[in-house]
Amino acid sequence: MPEACRRSVSAPAPAATLADRVGPLARLRLSRRQLVGRGLAAALLGPTVWTASSAADWSVLPFSQKLDMAVVRAVVRTPPGQLLAAIDRRGVRVLRVRTAASGRPVNPVLAPAPLAEADLLLRAEFLDRYEGRVVLRGDPFCEVPRDTILIRDTATTYTLLHEFLHTQLRPVEACRDDVDTELRFTLDYRRLQTYQRRVYDDPYRLLLPQWRDDLLQAQTEVVQRLYRRLQIGHSQEAIIEKVLAATVDERNPHFDAARRAEGLRYGEAMIDNAIDLHNAVDAAIAFVRDTVRHLREDVRAGVVATAGPQRLDDGDVARVDAMWRQLKPAMARVRAEIEALKRFYAA
């Protein structure tokens, strides 16, 4: 599998949302609960997404990912004193991050792990708020000889297992990122937010060809990376917490009721955030398409007069419609995988 398909992951980032106000011409958006529910009765009654292959015990998961459950079960059942060695045998090294004056006890399971070098923590951007972070082999910005877990010495063993599962998730299909997907998506999405807020405030900006072109380009770039961003981010967090909740029970030496409950809430929040992100992008696309159509009708009826560089003819409307049709399959794919993720999490 190309190493570029596997990205470094870390503690959750703040929720990414567009402004709630989408303007008078935007259609109603589906709520988080409506997105996975309305018109989906047949899908919800279908077979579960979490299926396993008897040969290797690979579980096929939402967003085209897979996880070898034999490996998961073997590692989570390992006694505490042998856990670091078990992880190491899977080709993953664990480096400890010293916590200064936290008032929390050092986890004895993590105490034998070597300390992470300050330079590695800097290159990996291990922030003070992080409990753990995975740097995967092949990361172009933080070269490591093996998949590496950076974990705070006061973190729970449950958190260590969470980070380990990040190293075990694999894409079902071969893929290759030509850029840092997370960073590129963040920049593209912020640009889209800026443009959209401006046209929400003044829809008549869409009479200008440059504004339409810039918005369509921004929407296209976000949609092109939306699936991959949710695959390596939101979906992995939710999948891992669900898998741990199912495999680390009260009889397991690593069981932590408080951490388990917190993790399940976190996973649900990641799904909600993915829904918010989908809805925000979908709303942006719909707003531009619908507003351009309405403005064209007003121009044709003489209600709105264009002046200077403003222009909006039938060909312009056709180009916006063509872009909407082009983006529609990618958005439908994202929606379908969010629905699958929601079903998986509720199972």
Side-chain angles (χ1 to χ4, degrees):
M1 179 191 67
E3 291 298 336
C5 292
R6 303 169 60 216
R7 309 299 300 166
S8 61
V9 291
S10 62
T17 58
L18 275 174
D20 292 332
R21 175 171 173 261
V22 296
L25 299 179
R27 63 189 178 189
L28 292 176
R29 303 264 54 87
L30 295 175
S31 71
R32 292 170 175 172
R33 305 306 170 202
Q34 289 171 325
L35 178 64
V36 186
R38 200 174 89 177
L40 298 174
L44 290 172
L45 293 174
T48 177
V49 174
W50 192 6
T51 59
S53 166
S54 57
D57 207 10
W58 284 102
S59 288
V60 179
L61 300 158
F63 280 91
S64 300
Q65 297 173 98
K66 62 182 181 178
L67 185 64
D68 188 345
M69 292 305 299
V71 171
V72 174
R73 288 190 294 269
V75 171
V76 302
R77 293 171 182 171
T78 302
Q82 303 171 30
L83 184 57
L84 290 181
I87 292 174
D88 185 76
R89 285 194 296 273
R90 299 295 172 182
V92 180
R93 65 173 181 167
V94 177
L95 299 180
R96 180 168 46 95
V97 180
R98 181 179 286 119
T99 306
S102 69
R104 297 163 55 192
V106 171
N107 184 343
V109 173
L110 299 172
L115 278 172
E117 297 179 357
D119 178 62
L120 176 58
L121 296 178
L122 183 63
R123 288 185 288 115
E125 299 180 344
F126 192 95
L127 305 180
D128 290 342
R129 69 175 184 271
Y130 289 174
E131 287 287 285
R133 181 174 177 83
V134 171
V135 181
L136 297 168
R137 183 167 61 90
D139 188 313
F141 301 100
C142 189
E143 185 177 349
V144 290
R146 295 191 292 162
D147 290 349
T148 300
I149 297 173
L150 304 173
I151 189 160
R152 203 166 293 284
D153 55 8
T154 54
T156 66
T157 306
Y158 203 97
T159 297
L160 173 63
L161 293 173
H162 175 105
E163 301 300 339
F164 172 70
L165 261 60
H166 272 298
T167 71
Q168 300 304 298
L169 277 168
R170 301 286 189 271
V172 172
E173 302 172 353
C175 60
R176 180 167 293 279
D177 293 323
D178 56 351
V179 296
D180 185 327
T181 298
E182 294 173 77
L183 176 59
R184 186 67 256 175
F185 180 85
T186 298
L187 295 175
D188 289 343
Y189 187 66
R190 285 176 180 169
R191 182 161 66 104
L192 177 59
Q193 285 180 301
T194 299
Y195 288 165
Q196 286 292 149
R197 288 188 181 118
R198 299 289 294 277
V199 296
Y200 288 157
D201 290 339
D202 182 6
Y204 291 100
R205 293 180 190 275
L206 290 173
L207 291 171
L208 293 165
Q210 189 63 56
W211 267 95
R212 293 194 300 272
D213 291 346
D214 288 347
L215 262 168
L216 293 176
Q217 181 65 28
Q219 291 175 2
T220 299
E221 291 174 355
V222 166
V223 172
Q224 285 175 342
R225 295 190 173 94
L226 180 59
Y227 180 93
R228 181 70 173 135
R229 179 64 187 92
L230 296 180
Q231 181 188 51
I232 64 177
H234 304 66
S235 74
Q236 285 200 4
E237 299 297 337
I239 287 168
I240 287 171
E241 289 300 336
K242 179 66 176 181
V243 170
L244 285 176
T247 55
V248 181
D249 59 18
E250 293 84 350
R251 298 166 294 177
N252 189 288
H254 312 303
F255 180 73
D256 184 328
R259 172 61 180 79
R260 180 181 187 272
E262 178 187 6
L264 287 173
R265 289 192 297 270
Y266 170 52
E268 184 174 0
M270 287 295 99
I271 296 173
D272 285 345
N273 186 240
I275 293 170
D276 287 342
L277 195 52
H278 168 279
N279 283 346
V281 176
D282 196 43
I285 295 169
F287 179 85
V288 171
R289 180 182 182 235
D290 293 347
T291 303
V292 166
R293 284 180 167 186
H294 283 283
L295 287 174
R296 175 55 187 154
E297 291 173 3
D298 287 345
V299 169
R300 184 184 292 112
V303 176
V304 172
T306 58
Q310 294 177 337
R311 187 200 73 222
L312 186 60
D313 56 28
D314 290 342
D316 297 321
V317 175
R319 280 188 287 275
V320 173
D321 281 343
M323 183 59 69
W324 173 78
R325 288 191 297 272
Q326 181 178 326
L327 299 180
K328 192 175 179 179
M331 291 299 294
R333 184 190 186 200
V334 169
R335 176 179 175 133
E337 289 301 326
I338 292 176
E339 291 166 355
L341 182 62
K342 190 78 173 180
R343 293 194 300 272
F344 166 80
Y345 209 74

